[in-house]
Amino acid sequence: MKKQLYIGVLFFLISFFSFTQTGPGGVGTIDGTSSLQVWLKSDDIDADGDNTDNPVNGSAISTWSDYSGNTNNYTQTGANRPTYNTTGTFDAVNFNSALATPQFMNGSIAGAYSNASAYFVLNSVKTGLSHTLFDNTTSSLRIEQWPNRGRVGYTRYGVADYSTTIASPFGVNSILSYHKSAGSANLNVQVNGTTQVLNIGSTTVGIPYDRIGRNATGADEASGDFLEIVLYNNSLNTAQTIIVDNYLSAKYAGITIPVDVYNEDDVAAGNYDHDVAGIGRIDVANLHNDAQGTGIVRVLNPTGLDDNEFLMWGHDNGDVLMSNTTDVPNRIHARLDREWRVSEVNTAGGAVDVGSVEIRFDATGLVGINAFFLKLLVDTDNDGFFNDETPISGATSLGSDVYSFTGVTALSNNTRFTLATGVRTVIINRRTTYRVKNN
């Protein structure tokens, strides 16, 4: 019986991790086939992958497009529309609850999940008797519980209001998340670095997603700047929760989270806070061992990922161009301007070794790439330079401009890595040899 159970679990894990994890932090996919159901990003309002075509400041937002692949767009018309705000540290969708007309947005799909995880990154403003996040006719998630308690909570309309002891985080960029498992009456509420379990009196009620805010004047409205919203129709396991937390924290200037396993986003580390993703394991039932996220690097197949260990990475936002020809070792023609840096640590922040890993690069858009000449560069001595390193060979083409390095052991905590291309040697005849630059 145990053998059959093991085989069943193994089959599930193979099935779950057999597709590229391109969701937040590398959790879920953006093709509509995973548990990622809604992903709204204020830096890409139309979800077209282009962050340069967002609305101008003060524009009314009719559609906030879903990036999850499910086309669950949030829409509104007329005076009920929120506006685009570019005056803060981060561009945002602003819901002004001080106006006489409530601002809210309706999702393309309505309902609630009794097994789910929902994330909100926002900077809320206290203006009314209470403020909602997701809402429907049955329940709502609240950044401020009714009636004006200044506490984060959850409401079941006509039944009860459930308040945490966590203060509503008004006026600061914050991450709020709600996690509900099937068959449980407990709602795990997390606000920045604080968590609390809230019993909401029913195993069947869940996380609503009909709309952002509520059509109510003076109370229950959405409030302030919304930066990002993420909804899964499955309660994330502990490792996945930590990974998504770290992705959001790094992206939004280091918001405090309960378990911080990525510090390369710090100023002292060089601000490697773009496209952060990661793999990790709390125990055999709480793991995530394949991730790509929003960037071009995918890491998978760790051979030594033990309990409470994580490998997270992010980049410095350098150009994806093979144009750096100075900081390169001998016989390397050029490397990418973009660099990545890794945190390979346990949940206490101590350095660990997750074993060898496979690293894949999506080289779409790079011209003249040949697997034979591709090299992986790792700054093993962590001096900030690649010109004194030994290039790692052995890339293989997986098709669709994806190239893989397997069995990589050179990564360690705080090290940098990048992709390079070597110098070709072409033998014309037995007496003449030319070195040709491989662009």
Side-chain angles (χ1 to χ4, degrees):
M1 184 66 181
K2 290 182 179 179
K3 184 176 181 180
Q4 291 176 338
L5 178 61
Y6 175 79
I7 293 173
V9 171
L10 181 61
F11 175 78
F12 169 78
L13 292 176
I14 292 173
S15 300
F16 186 79
F17 294 119
S18 62
F19 47 86
T20 305
Q21 301 266 2
T22 49
V27 178
T29 68
I30 57 173
D31 60 2
T33 63
S34 74
S35 63
L36 179 62
Q37 297 298 302
V38 176
W39 190 5
L40 307 177
K41 300 192 291 183
S42 64
D43 56 359
D44 190 6
I45 290 294
D46 57 4
D48 65 348
D50 182 359
N51 292 358
T52 66
D53 61 351
N54 289 308
V56 299
N57 186 52
S59 300
I61 303 299
S62 299
T63 302
W64 195 354
S65 297
D66 174 27
Y67 202 78
S68 74
N70 294 293
T71 322
N72 191 9
N73 303 323
Y74 282 72
T75 61
Q76 189 51 272
T77 60
N80 295 117
R81 291 176 294 173
T83 57
Y84 200 61
N85 180 21
T86 64
T87 63
T89 304
F90 302 98
D91 295 348
V93 177
N94 179 263
F95 294 79
N96 189 347
S97 57
L99 298 178
T101 303
Q103 297 180 344
F104 63 100
M105 301 194 83
N106 296 311
S108 304
I109 305 171
Y113 296 125
S114 59
N115 186 26
S117 288
Y119 287 82
F120 302 84
V121 184
L122 75 166
N123 190 320
S124 190
V125 179
K126 181 179 177 66
T127 57
L129 297 177
S130 63
H131 295 290
T132 60
L133 301 170
F134 273 158
D135 178 271
N136 66 12
T137 57
T138 302
S139 60
S140 65
L141 306 177
R142 294 173 175 258
I143 190 171
E144 183 179 36
Q145 188 55 270
W146 174 274
N148 197 23
R149 295 175 180 171
R151 296 290 183 267
V152 176
Y154 177 91
T155 287
R156 293 172 61 195
Y157 293 117
V159 178
D161 295 313
Y162 304 89
S163 292
T164 67
T165 59
I166 304 173
S168 302
F170 292 120
V172 294
N173 291 340
S174 300
I175 302 171
L176 283 78
S177 63
Y178 302 77
H179 308 269
K180 171 75 165 52
S181 297
S184 173
N186 289 333
L187 182 69
N188 189 354
V189 181
Q190 178 178 308
V191 181
N192 299 334
T194 304
T195 61
Q196 184 175 337
V197 175
L198 191 64
N199 189 301
I200 56 176
S202 173
T203 61
T204 58
V205 298
I207 293 177
Y209 52 89
D210 290 32
R211 56 184 165 265
I212 305 166
R214 194 177 185 206
N215 186 12
T217 303
D220 299 343
E221 299 178 54
S223 166
D225 286 340
F226 281 65
L227 308 179
E228 196 153 335
I229 299 175
V230 182
L231 174 66
Y232 296 88
N233 68 349
N234 182 61
S235 183
L236 299 183
N237 68 45
T238 308
Q240 293 169 332
T241 300
I242 291 172
I243 291 168
V244 175
D245 282 346
N246 278 265
Y247 154 75
L248 292 172
S249 175
K251 183 175 179 179
Y252 296 106
I255 297 174
T256 301
I257 51 178
V259 183
D260 192 342
V261 291
Y262 183 73
N263 64 4
E264 314 310 329
D265 58 323
D266 294 349
V267 175
N271 287 323
Y272 291 77
D273 48 12
H274 300 272
D275 295 325
V276 172
I279 58 175
R281 167 180 167 137
I282 295 299
D283 53 40
V284 69
N286 293 272
L287 62 88
H288 192 74
N289 62 3
D290 181 347
Q292 178 169 332
T294 50
I296 67 171
V297 170
R298 179 180 179 183
V299 176
L300 62 160
N301 297 327
T303 61
L305 184 62
D306 294 325
D307 288 357
N308 300 311
E309 293 185 349
F310 287 80
L311 174 64
M312 303 284 301
W313 61 93
H315 66 79
D316 60 355
N317 207 32
D319 292 332
V320 187
L321 297 172
M322 286 286 184
S323 56
N324 190 322
T325 59
T326 56
D327 181 25
V328 294
N330 185 40
R331 295 190 59 77
I332 293 297
H333 167 50
R335 70 168 178 87
L336 291 179
D337 281 339
R338 178 168 296 183
E339 301 175 10
W340 289 261
R341 199 167 190 183
V342 303
S343 286
E344 192 171 3
V345 298
N346 57 29
T347 51
V352 298
D353 182 3
V354 304
S356 68
V357 295
E358 178 181 355
I359 303 178
R360 296 181 184 179
F361 291 87
D362 184 346
T364 301
L366 290 174
V367 179
I369 296 299
N370 185 308
F372 184 80
F373 302 104
L374 278 183
K375 310 294 180 182
L376 176 66
L377 300 181
V378 179
D379 181 18
T380 57
D381 58 7
N382 213 13
D383 65 353
F385 297 98
F386 293 99
N387 57 13
D388 58 348
E389 300 295 339
T390 301
I392 298 172
S393 304
T396 57
S397 174
L398 302 180
S400 301
D401 295 316
V402 175
Y403 298 88
S404 170
F405 295 86
T406 60
V408 176
T409 59
L411 296 182
S412 61
N413 188 39
N414 299 137
T415 55
R416 302 165 179 84
F417 69 92
T418 192
L419 186 67
T421 185
V423 177
R424 281 192 302 191
T425 300
V426 180
I427 299 177
I428 304 301
N429 56 45
R430 293 181 180 178
R431 295 184 178 181
T432 307
T433 300
Y434 293 95
R435 288 197 309 166
V436 180
K437 292 181 178 180
N438 184 56
N439 294 318

